Amino acid sequence: MKKLTISAFVALLSISGMTVSTASYAQEMTLQEAMEQLSAAKDKGWVGEQPNGYLGVVASSLQAKQIAEQINEARRQEYARIAEENDIAVADVELLAGKRAIERTQSGHYVKVDGQWKKKP
């Protein structure tokens, strides 16, 4: 009997209509769930604001990663909308949003400064 490689197995499952996640069997977090958990994640030091306008993962965990991914995708879409409406580059919107987010970050939460995570005083 021939051995079935992992890629052949995944291909076979996809042909039959079944799917396999190679990353994880954990349930995906929705944007609403991420938004509800964002404040607590910042309080716990899991995520922080970056100069590029996006959240970064400070303390690596699946939950922190999912929160950042969901929030960042929503931000990415909003930045693109704002850039298009104002006929400016998305990068300019990202940088302005990052600056404002860092300014508005409360004391004790993490921000990325010069490539390093630091608690805001």
Side-chain angles (χ1 to χ4, degrees):
M1 181 174 220
K2 287 186 177 180
K3 278 189 167 180
L4 190 61
T5 66
I6 292 175
S7 58
F9 179 68
V10 170
L12 181 61
L13 288 178
S14 64
I15 291 170
S16 67
M18 300 174 78
T19 59
V20 170
S21 171
T22 56
S24 166
Y25 290 104
Q27 183 178 0
E28 273 296 312
M29 182 179 290
T30 66
L31 176 59
Q32 183 63 38
E33 290 168 332
M35 290 171 59
E36 290 168 357
Q37 295 178 36
L38 180 58
S39 182
K42 285 183 174 184
D43 289 343
K44 293 174 183 175
W46 293 355
V47 297
E49 294 292 347
Q50 301 180 99
N52 66 2
Y54 297 99
L55 284 176
V57 175
V58 179
S60 186
S61 73
L62 179 60
Q63 190 173 6
K65 184 178 178 227
Q66 288 181 338
I67 290 168
E69 286 174 352
Q70 289 295 327
I71 299 293
N72 286 343
E73 181 55 33
R75 287 183 181 185
R76 197 170 286 107
Q77 290 174 12
E78 183 65 6
Y79 297 161
R81 184 192 66 75
I82 291 168
E84 186 175 328
E85 274 184 11
N86 294 284
D87 196 29
I88 58 175
V90 174
D92 293 337
V93 177
E94 291 169 335
L95 290 176
L96 181 57
K99 181 176 185 256
R100 287 185 179 164
I102 288 173
E103 288 170 356
R104 294 178 178 169
T105 296
Q106 74 181 51
S107 178
H109 286 186
Y110 281 92
V111 294
K112 194 170 247 187
V113 179
D114 298 326
Q116 300 294 316
W117 288 112
K118 297 181 182 192
K119 278 192 176 183
K120 189 170 179 183

